[in-house]
């Protein structure tokens, strides 16, 4: 059996990736902060899919947490063939309303941890001549948003980083992809206390379907995966629309948000 390591593995897309990869008979290394929840998730996967599941309780915001997972990824005696960098956070408010500690915490998890874990995993993959890295990004990274300026910037970094490493390594047997979904029904927005009541049902995606599409795109060697036709269209508009036009639209949206929050 091959082994996959998934961060943020106890909920949302991370849990969906764990289920999908266990279905493929892959052994798993699951990373999250909550050790009890990790143990419960591992027990469920082992009993249902009969795979080996290793748990690594770690806070990837911290140096110690990153170092723990990096050491596991670099262990040549127990190679990891697929790294899923799923752990990430968002913040409810815009940049000026957040504390600098919260902003830095988001950067450390959404950007720094992705970079460090990818850097730890790649040497072994390159040496073996095969391996996959899947970094969870977002269509929010295709352009500036209001008011979540730093979140969209972190996801823009993840997408561009993944595409760059993909171009560097695609001829060496190593595949790297950025998964860029829109709204997915997970705990993400609830944990960030982001209101979702105004988001139309048509914009919500199912986590298991997103994961299935992402794994298909990874195996096809694509540098990005944008699940569903509607987000391919919306993402294309954001990514390729003339910049002055898009910035003008976002500026109007930002004014509307500002008026709403001040009323």
């Amino acid at each position: 059996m091959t082994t996959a390591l998934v961060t943020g593995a106890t909920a949302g897309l991370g849990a969906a990736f764990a289920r999908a990869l266990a279905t493929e008979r892959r052994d798993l290394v699951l990373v999250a902060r909550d050790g009890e929840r990790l143990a419960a998730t591992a027990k469920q996967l082992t009993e249902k899919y009969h795979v080996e599941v290793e748990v690594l309780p770690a806070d990837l915001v911290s140096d110690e947490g990153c170092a723990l997972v990096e050491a596991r990824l670099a262990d040549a005696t127990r190679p990891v063939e697929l790294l899923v960098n799923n752990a990430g956070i968002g913040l409810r408010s815009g940049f000026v309303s957040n504390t600098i500690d919260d902003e830095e915490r988001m950067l450390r998890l959404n950007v720094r941890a992705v970079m460090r874990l990818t850097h730890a995993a790649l040497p072994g993959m390159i040496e073996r001549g095969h391996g996959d890295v899947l970094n969870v990004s977002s269509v929010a990274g295709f352009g500036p948003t209001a008011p979540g300026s730093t979140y969209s910037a972190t996801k823009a970094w993840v997408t561009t980083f993944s595409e760059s490493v993909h171009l560097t390594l695609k001829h060496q047997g190593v595949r790297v992809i950025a998964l860029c979904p829109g709204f997915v029904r997970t705990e993400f927005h609830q944990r960030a206390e982001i209101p979702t009541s105004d988001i139309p049902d048509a914009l919500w995606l199912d986590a298991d379907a997103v994961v299935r599409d992402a794994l298909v795109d990874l195996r096809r060697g694509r540098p990005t995966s944008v699940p569903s036709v509607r987000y391919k269209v919306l993402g294309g508009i954001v990514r390729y629309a003339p910049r002055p036009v898009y910035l003008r639209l976002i500026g109007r949206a930002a004014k509307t948000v500002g008026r709403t929050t001040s009323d």
Side-chain angles (χ1 to χ4, degrees):
M1 287 188 181
T2 60
T3 300
L5 187 149
V6 183
T7 69
T10 58
L13 284 175
F17 271 111
R19 290 191 298 270
L21 296 169
T23 302
E24 296 179 355
R25 307 290 296 174
R26 289 181 186 253
D27 290 333
L28 298 170
V29 182
L30 305 183
V31 179
R33 290 183 300 170
D34 189 331
E36 291 186 5
R37 197 170 181 182
L38 270 177
T41 300
K43 184 174 184 292
Q44 292 170 1
L45 292 170
T46 300
E47 291 177 349
K48 184 172 183 178
Y49 300 104
H50 307 290
V51 296
E52 292 188 13
V53 183
E54 176 185 350
V55 297
L56 280 181
D59 182 357
L60 296 177
V61 172
S62 70
D63 291 342
E64 296 79 11
C66 274
L68 179 66
V69 183
E70 289 172 70
R72 179 61 183 86
L73 288 166
D75 186 349
T77 65
R78 299 179 296 162
V80 171
E81 285 82 9
L82 168 61
L83 166 62
V84 179
N85 277 312
N86 166 74
I89 56 173
L91 299 174
R92 176 176 180 171
S93 303
F95 176 71
V96 296
S97 300
N98 296 322
T99 68
I100 194 63
D101 289 341
D102 283 343
E103 289 283 328
E104 186 173 10
R105 183 165 57 93
M106 181 163 57
L107 282 169
R108 289 176 71 89
L109 184 57
N110 292 13
V111 173
R112 184 173 178 266
V114 172
M115 178 185 66
R116 288 187 58 157
L117 300 193
T118 302
H119 192 269
L122 288 179
M125 293 180 178
I126 294 168
E127 183 177 351
R128 293 188 296 271
H130 61 86
D132 300 319
V133 177
L134 190 154
N135 296 323
V136 176
S137 186
S138 170
V139 292
F142 289 169
T145 59
S149 55
T150 304
Y151 177 78
S152 61
T154 67
K155 293 307 182 179
W157 183 92
V158 171
T159 300
T160 301
F161 169 73
S162 302
E163 290 173 333
S164 298
V165 181
H166 163 84
L167 291 172
T168 303
L169 299 179
K170 66 178 182 177
H171 299 301
Q172 299 184 52
V174 179
R175 299 175 295 198
V176 181
I177 189 172
L179 168 59
C180 304
F183 295 109
V184 184
R185 293 198 182 278
T186 67
E187 298 177 9
F188 177 86
H189 297 88
Q190 181 181 355
R191 286 183 172 184
E193 299 182 346
I194 298 172
T196 59
S197 58
D198 292 337
I199 300 171
D201 287 343
L203 291 181
W204 287 102
L205 302 174
D206 173 72
D208 293 314
V210 168
V211 167
R212 285 195 300 270
D213 289 350
L215 292 174
V216 168
D217 286 339
L218 172 66
R219 285 156 192 155
R220 289 175 176 171
R222 293 177 175 169
T224 56
S225 176
V226 181
S228 84
V229 173
R230 54 191 177 276
Y231 276 109
K232 283 181 171 64
V233 173
L234 291 171
I237 291 172
V238 173
R239 204 171 193 185
Y240 302 115
R243 204 65 167 182
V245 174
Y246 180 73
L247 290 175
R248 193 155 51 243
L249 291 173
I250 290 297
R252 290 174 182 171
K255 288 181 180 179
T256 300
V257 171
R259 285 195 298 268
T260 302
T261 56
S262 63
D263 289 344

